[in-house]
Amino acid sequence: LGEDKLMAILKERELKIYWGTATTGKPHVAYFVPMSKIADFLKAGCEVTILFADLHAYLDNMKAPWELLELRTRYYENVIKAMLESIGVPLEKLKFVRGTDYQLSKEYTLDVYRLSSVVTQHDAKKAGAEVVKQVEHPLLSGLLYPGLQALDEEYLKVDAQFGGVDQRKIFTFAEKYLPSLGYAKRVHLMNPMVPGLTGSKMSSSEEDSKIDLLDRKEDVKKKLKKAFCEPGNVENNGVLSFIKHVLFPLKSEFVVLREEKWGGNTTYTAYEALEKDFAEQVVHPGDLKNSVEVALNKLLDPIREKFNSPELKKLTNAAYPNPSKAKPAEKGTKNSEPENVVPSRLDIRVGKVISVEKHPDADSLYVEKIDVGEPEPRTVVSGLVQFVPKEQLQDRLVVLLCNLKPQKMRGVESQGMVLCASSVGEPKQVEPLDPPAGCCAGERVYVEGYEGGEPDDELKPKKKVFEKLQADFRISEDCVAQWKQKNFLTKLGTVSCKSLKGGSIS
């Protein structure tokens, strides 16, 4: 946006540009997309500022608690410097700034008030629609967010701002409103958003969609193995997109590694040739994933090594404390419930029912095969025979609790639990919970406000974590599944049931 102005500036001097990131969830491998472009800007002679937007992180529905802002900003600074070093970017040519270094000044605060006197609620909400977390009852802080990002352009004294295409509405907001305060309209440059491993935008809050910069090699292998990469399908393919937007720009080539009996290694010097071969199924998804795994680990190794120091390990754990390791409240305090019983400990996913059969030894039980985004479907035993006809379960999407300890039910091992709404009164009615339309098998289901936590590998039966959380599961008057009045969500919206208002969930 503003190409004519860009060309006019370049005739006179080098461009001053900034890229900002709100210090919320841990940066993941998609951050290599803007990092590789920042490398290009520096090679072209631009003056580049990286803004660690700590105040923005708090305003975005408090994704970063106030007490963790300083720690998370330090984490971002260290990890992004490590990323840039990993791809050979000279740091001495960069300037790093924290939002709170100037956003709490008298002048900036006065400009926030001036801006709020001319911006409509409608425009503020629209501007942040793709960036600020959207909730049913938005906080005022989320409406302030776009205005602050616009003012950053003036206070950082830059010609241009760079960001993802998801920032476009904030950029057009800035172009509209900065002149009303007497400030110049800036140039805006955008990069594409890389699809996550599950096929949609790579997100810090959706664990399975992204590879963390500090993930171990075995985690990288596991996540890539589960990644959406259908033979011949180049649409919403996060593996191909990562090659296109990260590996090719950095290396100018990509090597597909495979055994001699399948044709041996092939070096591609143009992404289009690789995409064509994948579309025509000359390149197999398994070989593509293995090759990305090797290339990605080469990028991540220097970052892992740097963060292996005791100091940075300590910083990582302090900035992103594991909620499942929180200390229980002391006995006798007002809140005697252990602090670590939080919904993020549940591994709840969208599942697709592939087959349904009656249990061979129990008339009231179904045995289902359910796809939850893993290499093989799970076998799940459900007591739904008297409530849901077999044909209504076949091929439908369900919500599956995946980290219960597997147990045998009448001789068949069940590897999960289909979550259902149940009526309060008699006669008893049961309806499987419905994920939003368009969800993919394996998508994470989380409770609003608990997006970032890691689920337990397996819930220990003696700890009764699920049972304690389940006590506060309810269906709202709008038929939305909730925990303590916070909605069950996927990235596409709320989880619901058809009709059982006020019911329980089991």
Side-chain angles (χ1 to χ4, degrees):
L1 304 172
E3 188 174 352
D4 292 345
K5 185 171 184 178
L6 172 69
M7 302 313 289
I9 293 168
L10 289 173
K11 285 177 183 174
E12 298 178 11
R13 57 177 172 80
E14 301 298 356
L15 193 72
K16 296 178 181 177
I17 189 166
Y18 102 86
W19 173 81
T21 181
T23 51
T24 53
K26 289 181 183 176
H28 44 72
V29 293
Y31 277 60
F32 275 116
V33 178
M35 292 304 112
S36 63
K37 188 50 62 179
I38 285 168
D40 287 345
F41 293 146
L42 289 166
K43 286 174 195 165
C46 298
E47 291 181 32
V48 182
T49 298
I50 288 181
L51 171 67
F52 298 113
D54 46 359
L55 197 55
H56 291 70
Y58 180 71
L59 291 175
D60 187 0
N61 275 281
M62 294 180 287
K63 280 184 183 175
W66 188 263
E67 63 273 13
L68 293 181
L69 276 189
E70 166 64 19
L71 292 165
R72 290 198 177 174
T73 305
R74 279 169 49 204
Y75 176 86
Y76 264 68
E77 187 167 342
N78 279 284
V79 86
I80 283 174
K81 284 179 178 176
M83 286 181 80
L84 292 166
E85 288 167 350
S86 167
I87 60 175
V89 178
L91 299 183
E92 61 272 10
K93 295 169 75 174
L94 274 171
K95 186 162 76 171
F96 296 93
V97 177
R98 297 180 184 210
T100 47
D101 288 346
Y102 64 89
Q103 288 166 349
L104 300 176
S105 69
K106 179 181 175 182
E107 295 77 17
Y108 187 93
T109 303
L110 184 58
D111 271 343
V112 172
Y113 288 137
R114 288 174 64 208
L115 197 60
S116 67
S117 72
V118 294
V119 174
T120 65
Q121 179 192 351
H122 171 270
D123 282 4
K125 188 174 181 182
K126 181 183 173 185
E130 291 185 48
V131 177
V132 179
K133 183 183 162 196
Q134 299 299 297
V135 293
E136 193 175 349
H137 301 291
L139 297 171
L140 186 58
S141 56
L143 299 176
L144 290 173
Y145 188 111
L148 269 68
Q149 189 167 334
L151 287 172
D152 290 340
E153 297 179 347
E154 174 65 24
Y155 279 77
L156 291 170
K157 301 300 177 190
V158 294
D159 308 306
Q161 183 180 174
F162 166 55
V165 291
D166 61 336
Q167 307 266 336
R168 187 184 180 96
K169 289 177 181 174
I170 289 184
F171 292 166
T172 55
F173 172 95
E175 291 185 4
K176 177 180 178 179
Y177 282 108
L178 276 187
S180 68
L181 299 188
Y183 297 142
K185 185 190 293 187
R186 265 63 179 190
V187 179
H188 294 101
L189 301 103
M190 287 162 277
N191 63 263
M193 303 305 292
V194 176
L197 301 179
T198 55
S200 60
K201 174 183 165 183
M202 198 175 286
S203 165
S204 293
S205 62
E206 194 190 341
E207 188 56 36
D208 283 345
S209 82
K210 50 99 178 182
I211 292 171
D212 191 278
L213 294 168
L214 301 181
D215 273 349
R216 300 168 305 165
K217 290 187 177 183
E218 50 266 42
D219 295 326
V220 172
K221 180 184 284 291
K222 188 166 76 171
K223 288 181 179 180
L224 280 170
K225 193 174 180 180
K226 290 166 63 176
F228 175 77
C229 192
E230 203 171 53
N233 186 353
V234 299
E235 298 298 321
N236 293 323
N237 187 322
V239 181
L240 273 177
S241 291
F242 189 76
I243 297 169
K244 179 179 181 179
H245 296 298
V246 176
L247 298 178
F248 259 107
L250 290 176
K251 302 292 182 185
S252 302
E253 66 175 31
F254 182 73
V255 181
V256 173
L257 307 168
R258 57 188 167 193
E259 296 177 29
E260 287 298 329
K261 64 179 179 179
W262 303 119
N265 296 353
T266 304
T267 300
Y268 290 89
T269 54
Y271 171 76
E272 292 71 22
L274 172 62
E275 187 180 273
K276 181 173 179 288
D277 278 0
F278 185 82
E280 294 172 0
Q281 299 191 33
V282 174
V283 174
H284 187 272
D287 293 328
L288 193 73
K289 289 180 180 184
N290 290 340
S291 307
V292 168
E293 182 188 335
V294 171
L296 180 54
N297 278 319
K298 283 181 183 174
L299 286 177
L300 297 182
D301 277 342
I303 303 171
R304 293 183 187 118
E305 188 176 343
K306 181 173 181 178
F307 272 76
N308 208 26
S309 72
E311 182 189 350
L312 289 180
K313 276 184 179 177
K314 185 178 177 182
L315 173 62
T316 305
N317 292 332
Y320 297 94
N322 187 338
S324 66
K325 291 182 180 175
K327 292 178 182 176
E330 291 180 21
K331 289 181 181 177
T333 60
K334 186 178 177 183
N335 177 20
S336 58
E337 182 69 28
E339 292 174 14
N340 62 348
V341 181
V342 289
S344 52
R345 293 185 64 182
L346 305 179
D347 181 3
I348 306 176
R349 295 183 229 165
V350 175
K352 182 173 183 181
V353 179
I354 296 171
S355 68
V356 191
E357 301 294 338
K358 280 272 194 78
H359 193 295
D361 297 319
D363 292 341
S364 63
L365 302 177
Y366 285 131
V367 178
E368 303 121 1
K369 294 285 185 186
I370 301 180
D371 177 9
V372 286
E374 295 170 340
E376 298 295 329
R378 292 194 178 206
T379 300
V380 178
V381 180
S382 303
L384 294 173
V385 171
Q386 60 182 314
F387 302 110
V388 186
K390 180 177 169 180
E391 57 273 14
Q392 288 183 18
L393 276 179
Q394 181 67 45
D395 297 326
R396 70 163 283 162
L397 293 179
V398 293
V399 175
L400 196 73
L401 179 60
C402 294
N403 59 342
L404 289 174
K405 185 177 180 180
Q407 64 179 66
K408 286 196 173 180
M409 298 178 71
R410 296 288 187 91
V412 177
E413 185 175 81
S414 182
Q415 300 165 326
M417 177 193 288
V418 176
L419 294 181
C420 299
S422 301
S423 61
V424 178
E426 294 295 335
K428 187 176 181 183
Q429 294 175 274
V430 175
E431 296 172 356
L433 295 182
D434 291 312
C439 283
C440 299
E443 272 183 46
R444 180 95 186 267
V445 177
Y446 53 87
V447 170
E448 186 181 335
Y450 292 87
E451 297 91 327
E454 289 276 353
D456 291 14
D457 291 334
E458 184 177 283
L459 297 170
K460 301 291 182 267
K462 288 183 179 178
K463 300 280 186 185
K464 297 196 178 298
V465 172
F466 173 67
E467 290 80 358
K468 289 171 182 173
L469 291 165
Q470 186 190 16
D472 292 302
F473 286 179
R474 290 287 180 276
I475 302 295
S476 75
E477 290 304 307
D478 300 324
C479 289
V480 173
Q482 296 183 329
W483 175 78
K484 292 189 175 179
Q485 298 181 311
K486 294 180 184 292
N487 294 343
F488 282 51
L489 301 167
T490 73
K491 61 177 181 281
L492 293 180
T494 55
V495 172
S496 60
C497 71
K498 292 204 169 37
S499 65
L500 301 181
K501 300 177 182 179
S504 59
I505 300 173
S506 56

